[in-house]
Amino acid sequence: MPLRFAEPATEAYRFPLTIRHLLDSALTTASDRRIVYRDQGSWTYREFAGRVGRLASLLADLGAEQGMTIAVMDWDSHRYLEAYFAVPMMGAVLQTVNVRLPAPQVAYTLNHAKAEILLVHHDFFPLVEAVLPSLPGVKAVVAIMDGTQGALPAFAKGEYEALSAAASPDYPFEDFDENAVATTFYTTGTTGNPKGVCFTHRQLVLHTLACNAPFGAADGTGFAYKDVYMPLTPMFHVHAWGVPYVATMLGMTQVYPGRYEPEMLCRLHAQHKVTYSHCVPTILRMLLDAAEKTGTDVSGWTITVGGSALSPQLCAEGRRKGMRLIAGYGMSETGPLVSVARIRPGTEGDDAAEIQALTATVPAPLISARIVDDDMNDLPHDGQTRGELVLRAPWLTPCYTGDAKASETLWHGGWMHTQDIATIDPDGYIRIRDRLKDVIKTGGEWIDSIQLEELVATAEGVVEVAVVAMPDAKWGERPLAVVVVRPGAALTLETLNAPIEAAISQGTITRYAKLERFAVVEGLPRTSVGKIDKKLIRATHADNAQAGVA
Amino acid sequence: MPLRFAEPATEAYRFPLTIRHLLDSALTTASDRRIVYRDQGSWTYREFAGRVGRLASLLADLGAEQGMTIAVMDWDSHRYLEAYFAVPMMGAVLQTVNVRLPAPQVAYTLNHAKAEILLVHHDFFPLVEAVLPSLPGVKAVVAIMDGTQGALPAFAKGEYEALSAAASPDYPFEDFDENAVATTFYTTGTTGNPKGVCFTHRQLVLHTLACNAPFGAADGTGFAYKDVYMPLTPMFHVHAWGVPYVATMLGMTQVYPGRYEPEMLCRLHAQHKVTYSHCVPTILRMLLDAAEKTGTDVSGWTITVGGSALSPQLCAEGRRKGMRLIAGYGMSETGPLVSVARIRPGTEGDDAAEIQALTATVPAPLISARIVDDDMNDLPHDGQTRGELVLRAPWLTPCYTGDAKASETLWHGGWMHTQDIATIDPDGYIRIRDRLKDVIKTGGEWIDSIQLEELVATAEGVVEVAVVAMPDAKWGERPLAVVVVRPGAALTLETLNAPIEAAISQGTITRYAKLERFAVVEGLPRTSVGKIDKKLIRATHADNAQAGVA
């Protein structure tokens, strides 16, 4: 027999999962709650909905229509949140521009995404001025003066607030196909051009609902409608991890901090009693230092930490100040929600056990997570066996825009390849061990370069270290440690291997991890976003290594 | 321009919202958690998944296929949960049979739903034996002996556990169109045949995700993966309010109590430290009495109360015993989630304010809720103005199966008509005031029959009362109080009107509410499910009323 389908009433509403519906219950239940922007103002959800309508109207006046890309270059603001809603709700595509990229890459992403209208904060006027000549597709730039009094630049069609004030708040938003693209942005690799990912209305609505499950868990790690939210991951970066959509759906009080300035962040936190944020470890470090300096009480502040691993040390430090810190894992391609930490039931109050659990993550609802070998065979969930983490979920990017080859690689075998090497333990806790391209495959074993680096870093005289794989005729690959040495220290292979041998005897790393060679360098090369450029290190040392010089 | 659509990678997984995916993260993160059945056994999620596979295999052996209806008549059990997953996951339709209906109505619903295979607990063998001759479509009955040793009835093809043990745990579940129907069941009105509603995979997955938001709210009213769940609303009734799907998705420990026996419920609660349940007020009353009798500590037990209004008195009584009680609102047609209570931020700890908030409800995410007049015009959210509550959400039944006329009425104007009269306050709290058909429309005002009944019930000498609308040439309608009087009491219009006049002078009811007539009866007529049959009362008294006798 065929599957059974219902015969809907003629007028039964075919409810598409479009972003506009995320506002519905907030408008009913939180219409007087406020969305705050720095120390410059606040708006109720009712006013916010009017401003969303005005933004759509002003964009339409500038020629915006369905399917068009509209790009935003702004700090985290209520305006950015307005664009999160207005642009997709009118059927257009929101491009969140990574303003930290070099100008040529910004130009590349705007051209590649076919952006036709730009909303630009005055801090980025020089950047826009530099790239505009290479952006033939851009029809209009709206200047965001952000309360300052300067003259409008010649390239601007008008100013955000002035245009908004003159536009109608009653834009006739309609429902449409939930599979329409809502947002796009670009990921940055260590080489080559940025790659564009995109997300549909359906994907973002599902991402929002699924986010709410683990983040909203009633175990002291989550949030609810009564919380006060302040993002500390830029809104151009993977939808600020999707939380602005969740916070709006729940009608939470929201605080947008503009450009991240440590003392402003502390002040906003104190003034609005912020209870929930999310950030990368670097920002957390900065927050803790700023809080120390300004005497800010950060207790009761729940922060999801992602982007890089939340170390147990940093987690413990934040907890000592009364923060609740939770690891999160995801990437640009995943919307980003994949997995979130949670306390292991029965271990509540046991500090070490809580830190252990809170620095790993478990899959969110509707995430299918596997670890697999090179042939996509499942590997055991024993907390030890390493494999590539591959995923299915309803909100993963379907492709890299206009890059069929990279898209096919991403989705090879019907699963999205994270290129992260992970272990999964019997209770589902995922730990990311290394990047696939950085792992060292030697004698049938996988060695995490990160684990090896952590060991070598403890050796006497080592300032900084990167471990990379070098091709090896007999073993496939062998590790090479590239080390920055403390002035005056005499580094030997024995010194470097001391902590590795200790780990081997404790059984925490394979005996194949023992080094046969190392290279001493002045400093480690880094990428534009500050990560160690292992690709360059591999290339630099390949010849030496093959010649046996290192 | 047209909407923009992505060009997915060839192998990009088109993730449909099918019920099988609700199991994925539970299997990764909670494979050793247990699902308990009374005092008869428990199974880990890993074992549960195997039993789901076995059930699908045994059903396939009996001829089950996609699109076929498979009906369950069981008490709340791990088996029922297996059917919640196995039947829809194989593309068949799960009919949850209301075993409390009279036999002819049970037969009607099975025939109307085209049920071909029945899974029947031995308590319902007499019922099945009575109706089987009128069920020509039924091809196979599986007997559930539930650990008892009796002989299989002649009509059974086999026994659940025996067939399950012989079947393969590895049924090849596949994904398919998320819009396929997953479940069906029948609503019971006060007259006419039951009406069938149905829900698709997509609807149930979205309902599950949306349930998790308000119920899982981190405000002390919700639940999370660490909770222990026991349903106290039958699994045949609107998916046990959808919570078994949520509990499974989150990997919660689940306790299925079989037939509801107060002392067993208390024992299971104590043994497994149940922290979350849901029920109607009658069951809550029974629980509180049983807890008193057995000395069971019910503190820390969170219970969502729906079906009928959670009265402030009952709420307060449960809270005094340490329960956390939360009102919920929904109906068969809505899956059932519409709205759930929450504490008003800032009033935490204020007992009266909490009770006030917890006995009303606010819309869940993705619920569009309006109150409207007869012409579907919006009415103000002032907490006073009454209108019909109409809804949109992605999980409302698209129709009454095979009843086009009732379906069109349900969805008239593109909104689902609840036929409930409600107020909404500025913070979104919905209070259900009356059923549309019971409200009294007089002189341009709406009077809630329920409010009027509550007032009249306090009058001296009144044992029980129903207030119904009678047609009136001048006012449209006027209220008629039909009263059961305490033996020996002399009831007058003045006595009855005393509390009403007090309410009028306090401004809590319109002056049109004052009665001009009443009727004294021996007892009030009730429907099969125990509700007062106002339709019959109206019919009985219509002639008298028109003749001015009452």
Side-chain angles (χ1 to χ4, degrees), chain B residues 175-258:
Chain B
D175 267 336
F176 44 71
D177 190 331
E178 66 188 27
N179 293 306
V181 174
T183 62
T184 185
F185 50 86
Y186 285 73
T187 71
T188 49
T190 46
T191 55
N193 280 318
K195 289 202 283 283
V197 294
C198 65
F199 298 90
T200 67
H201 281 258
R202 171 188 163 101
Q203 291 186 302
L204 290 176
V205 170
L206 290 170
H207 186 272
T208 304
L209 290 172
C211 265
N212 192 58
F215 287 126
D219 73 339
T221 60
F223 58 61
Y225 65 94
K226 68 177 175 181
D227 275 290
V228 178
Y229 164 59
M230 179 165 73
L232 292 174
T233 316
M235 293 180 81
F236 66 72
H237 186 62
V238 211
H239 318 109
W241 298 1
V243 184
Y245 285 122
V246 186
T248 304
M249 177 181 82
L250 295 181
M252 286 164 64
T253 300
Q254 303 187 53
V255 180
Y256 286 86

Side-chain angles (χ1 to χ4, degrees), chain A residues 15 24-25 27-29, chain B residues 329 338-339 362-364 366-372 378-379 381 388-393 415-416 418 424 428 430:
Chain A
F15 198 107
D24 287 342
S25 56
L27 284 177
T28 306
T29 65
Chain B
Y329 168 73
V338 174
S339 47
V362 300
L366 297 191
I367 289 276
S368 297
R370 299 167 60 197
I371 47 172
V372 297
D378 279 310
L379 296 170
H381 292 194
E388 189 189 3
L389 184 67
V390 298
L391 303 169
R392 284 178 175 171
W415 290 76
M416 206 210 86
T418 64
I424 303 183
I430 297 172

Side-chain angles (χ1 to χ4, degrees), chain B residues 103 107 124-135 155:
Chain B
F124 307 111
F125 288 170
L127 174 59
V128 166
E129 199 140 28
V131 298
L132 260 185
S134 57
L135 301 177
F155 56 73

Side-chain angles (χ1 to χ4, degrees), chain A residues 259-311:
Chain A
R259 185 174 191 162
Y260 296 170
E261 295 160 345
E263 292 182 16
M264 169 68 85
L265 297 179
C266 287
R267 202 154 67 237
L268 289 170
H269 169 266
Q271 185 184 346
H272 299 288
K273 300 181 175 59
V274 171
T275 58
Y276 180 76
S277 295
H278 48 77
C279 65
V280 296
T282 315
I283 298 280
L284 175 58
R285 176 75 270 155
M286 184 196 83
L287 270 186
L288 287 169
D289 294 343
E292 186 72 36
K293 195 174 140 198
T294 58
T296 303
D297 175 11
V298 293
S299 64
W301 197 351
T302 298
I303 302 185
T304 303
V305 181
S308 306
L310 169 62
S311 73

Side-chain angles (χ1 to χ4, degrees), chain A residues 1 4 9-11 15 24 28-29 33 65-67 69 178 181 202 212-213 216 219 225 343 345 368 398 408 413-414 428, chain B residues 1 4 9-11 15 24 28 33 65-67 69 178 181 202 212-213 216 219 225 343 345 368 398 408 413-414 428:
Chain A
M1 287 164 74
R4 185 100 57 87
T10 322
E11 294 188 272
F15 198 107
D24 287 342
T28 306
T29 65
R33 281 274 182 90
E65 47 187 60
Q66 286 195 342
T69 301
E178 67 189 27
V181 173
R202 171 187 164 103
N212 192 58
D219 73 339
Y225 64 94
I343 294 170
S368 297
E408 298 305 335
Chain B
M1 286 165 76
R4 185 99 58 88
T10 321
E11 295 189 271
F15 199 107
D24 288 341
T28 305
R33 282 275 183 89
E65 49 187 65
Q66 286 195 342
T69 302
E178 66 188 27
V181 174
R202 171 188 163 101
N212 192 58
D219 73 339
Y225 65 94
I343 294 170
S368 297
E408 297 305 334

Side-chain angles (χ1 to χ4, degrees), chain A residues 364-379:
Chain A
L366 297 190
I367 289 277
S368 297
R370 298 167 62 197
I371 46 172
V372 297
D373 65 17
D374 289 343
D375 300 318
M376 297 279 291
N377 298 305
D378 278 309
L379 295 170

